């Protein structure tokens, strides 16, 4: 088993020279293999003492300077000692260690190579050389040196640990697992071996083995923050949020100021829709985050999600007060204002997002939607076209544009855009359906029938197309048997769709089967509730069977609901005819 002294040497090695080590530098989160820690060496003492007088004096001066914490004086003294006794591997080793601590890796490498050249069998010299090579990202050479160390000193657990870590960092997962697994056999209580073994398994996507290794590491050191965090991340990958939350909470008990943990825990709470818990984490994060703008943004998004729009707007506004060019947050603020129907302010915020920003297109779509709600279709089209200039081939933009032009009454332009979509995506049944409906609205019934038939070929379960084609035949009084088959197929998919039920009723009406028509149309009125056309159909059926009072009642209801002037005039004429007939009958 590794002694406490050996563990301290390893810890010193990694802290001094391995920037980014998750185990020994707990303020950094776990990293992917490409970012695993650089490897370095400890300042290890050797028994050899220089024999040359001047070198000995400089050596002792360096030792005293180190004891006093003066590395500059120590380094100068050791440099003079090496100059006086260049054949001393111990002096070069000592000087290399000081160079490492000062970040002077090329000089450290030079001294390490000289020390190994003088004493090639010295394990400490080779171990320091391996550490420096790893720190300089010369991984192949470092691995070779670590392997040489193990050949010279097979029980050397430090070399085995660092070699395994380096294999993992390079993505040589099988070799890393083999080396570290052997270390766990040699020393089953090696926390570092189990922990890094877990990280390599995780990087190799063997999540079950990674979980087992992390759990073993935590049994050896239950309060290890990096092991708690890495296992929590693993649980997140496995879609086990409750277990991840418990581990993050445990990590925060050990270190409440761990910003990364609060950030991930808050994110988990958001995904679990535990918004109050998420807010609590992000509020705490604000206190410890040196740059709280991202945290404040997350708080604003949570408030937005929970419908607290005024508070969300406040958070976003605070972010923008310190960072006016944070256009992502400006987009969020515009969205909040849009939700509260503060349309002029929302448009102002969206329009401040510049065209070169990634959120510009989405912002312009919001502007277009606001103008659309206000029935300002020219302004809506202008905003939509600004978005299309940047993304002319975007499918959803083309679809949205076609809808706007249709509402504006420019059916030719709408048809042209949908035709473009159909040509680009000839297998998309939804685009064929929309184009067919536009042709119908434009009075091109035969083209409509062709497109609806093609839509059904592409997707036999497109209930809307089945109903549309069936109703088209029923309305024209043609191919009524085929119309019934199409509509019944639509109803098999959506049995409670009031519009489909109305279509079936209208087939019966056109056949003169008025009792069956009334049965279906009465049900359609209940299902569709406020549709004037369905109510008019029912009135027509009542009228056909002589139920004039019922027809009048339904017509009046349809008239009150109708938003189409032509339809309103038609219904009004039917009411007047019934009233006139009633007066004649009464006289």
């Amino acid at each position: 088993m590794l002694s406490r002294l050996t563990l301290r040497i390893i810890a010193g090695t990694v802290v001094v020279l391995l920037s980014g080590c998750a185990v020994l530098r707990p303020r950094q989160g776990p990293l992917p293999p490409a970012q695993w820690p650089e490897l370095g060496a400890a300042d290890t003492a050797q028994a050899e003492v220089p024999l040359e007088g001047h070198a000995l004096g400089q050596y002792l001066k360096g030792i005293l300077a180190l004891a006093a914490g003066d590395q500059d004086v120590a380094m100068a003294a050791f440099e003079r000692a090496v100059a006086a006794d260049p054949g001393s591997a111990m002096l070069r080793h000592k000087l290399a260690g000081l160079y490492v601590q000062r970040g002077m890796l090329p000089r450290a490498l030079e001294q390490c190579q000289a020390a190994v050249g003088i004493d090639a069998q010295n394990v400490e010299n080779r171990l320091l050389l391996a550490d420096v090579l790893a720190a300089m990202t010369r991984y192949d050479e470092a691995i070779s040196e670590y392997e040489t160390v193990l050949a010279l000193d097979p029980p050397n657990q430090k070399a085995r640990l660092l070699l395994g870590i380096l294999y993992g960092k390079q993505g040589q997962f099988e070799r890393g697992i083999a080396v570290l697994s052997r270390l766990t056999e040699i020393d089953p209580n090696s926390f570092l071996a189990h922990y890094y073994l877990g990280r390599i398994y995780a990087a190799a996507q063997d999540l079950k083995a990674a979980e087992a290794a992390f759990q073993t590491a935590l049994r050896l050191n239950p309060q290890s923050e990096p092991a708690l965090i890495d296992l929590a991340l693993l649980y997140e990958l496995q879609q086990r949020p409750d277990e991840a939350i418990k581990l993050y909470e445990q990590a925060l008990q050990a270190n409440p100021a761990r910003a990364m943990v609060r950030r991930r825990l808050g994110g988990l709470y958001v995904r679990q829709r535990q918004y109050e818990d998420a807010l609590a984490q992000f509020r705490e994060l604000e206190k410890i985050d040196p740059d709280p703008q991202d945290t404040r943004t997350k708080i604003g998004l949570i408030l937005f999600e929970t419908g607290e729009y005024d508070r969300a707007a406040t958070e976003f506004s605070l972010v923008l007060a310190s960072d006016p060019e944070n256009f992502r947050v400006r987009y969020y603020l515009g969205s909040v204002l849009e939700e509260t129907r503060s349309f002029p302010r929302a448009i102002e915020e969206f329009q401040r997002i510049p065209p070169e920003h990634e959120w510009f297109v989405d912002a312009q779509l919001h502007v277009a939607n606001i103008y659309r709600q206000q029935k300002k279709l020219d302004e809506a089209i202008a905003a939509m076209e600004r978005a299309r200039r940047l993304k002319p081939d975007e499918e959803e933009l083309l679809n949205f544009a076609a809808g706007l032009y249709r509402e504006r009454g420019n059916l030719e332009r709408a048809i042209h855009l949908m035709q473009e979509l159909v040509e680009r995506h000839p297998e998309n049944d939804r685009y064929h359906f929309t184009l067919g409906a536009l042709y119908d609205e434009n009075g091109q019934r035969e083209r409509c029938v062709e497109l609806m038939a093609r839509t059904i070929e592409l997707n036999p379960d497109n209930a809307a197309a089945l109903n549309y084609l069936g109703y088209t035949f029923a309305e024209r009084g043609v191919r009524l048997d085929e119309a019934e088959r199409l509509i019944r197929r639509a109803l098999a998919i959506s049995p409670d769709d009031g519009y489909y039920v109305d279509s079936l009723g209208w087939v019966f009406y056109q056949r003169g089967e008025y009792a069956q028509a009334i049965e279906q149309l009465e049900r359609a009125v209940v299902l569709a509730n406020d549709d004037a056309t369905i109510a008019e159909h029912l009135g027509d059926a009542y009228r056909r069977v002589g139920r004039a009072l019922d027809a009048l009642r339904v017509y009046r209801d349809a008239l009150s609901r109708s938003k189409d002037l032509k339809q309103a005039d038609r219904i009004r004429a039917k009411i007047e005819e019934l009233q006139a007939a009633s007066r004649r009958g009464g006289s």
Side-chain angles (χ1 to χ4, degrees), residues 12-13 15-18 39-43 71 75 92-109 111-112 128-129 131-133 135-136:
T13 299
V15 169
V16 172
L17 302 171
L18 284 76
L39 305 180
D43 177 22
Q71 288 191 350
M75 187 167 66
R92 290 186 178 277
H93 182 100
K94 197 75 175 179
L95 180 56
L98 274 176
Y99 282 150
V100 165
Q101 293 180 44
R102 304 299 293 274
M104 303 164 68
L105 294 182
R107 290 191 182 185
L109 179 61
Q111 295 301 322
C112 287
L128 182 55
L129 174 59
D131 293 346
V132 172
L133 288 166
M136 297 177 72

Side-chain angles (χ1 to χ4, degrees), residues 194-217 227 230-231 234 238:
H194 288 290
Y195 172 75
Y196 275 104
L197 188 58
R199 295 196 71 187
I200 294 176
Y201 275 129
Q205 299 299 308
D206 189 344
L207 303 187
K208 186 175 180 180
E211 180 181 354
F214 286 139
Q215 287 175 341
T216 301
D230 278 9
L231 184 53
L234 193 69
Q238 294 175 318

Side-chain angles (χ1 to χ4, degrees), residues 341-402:
R341 302 189 70 80
S342 302
F343 291 147
R345 288 186 59 206
I347 289 173
E348 180 184 352
E349 293 298 335
F350 286 132
Q351 297 288 40
R352 292 178 68 179
I353 298 174
E356 61 272 14
H357 194 268
E358 61 178 325
W359 293 81
F360 174 79
V361 169
D362 289 311
Q364 291 304 310
L365 288 178
H366 277 273
V367 171
N369 189 57
I370 291 171
Y371 282 133
R372 185 181 198 175
Q373 293 180 64
Q374 296 177 319
K375 305 301 181 185
K376 298 178 179 178
L377 295 177
D378 288 337
E379 290 89 340
I381 288 171
M384 178 272 303
E385 291 293 359
R386 285 194 292 271
R388 286 197 63 225
R389 277 196 289 273
L390 289 181
K391 292 187 176 180
D393 298 327
E394 184 74 31
E395 287 181 44
E396 293 306 318
L397 281 177
L398 277 169
N399 205 2
F400 182 57

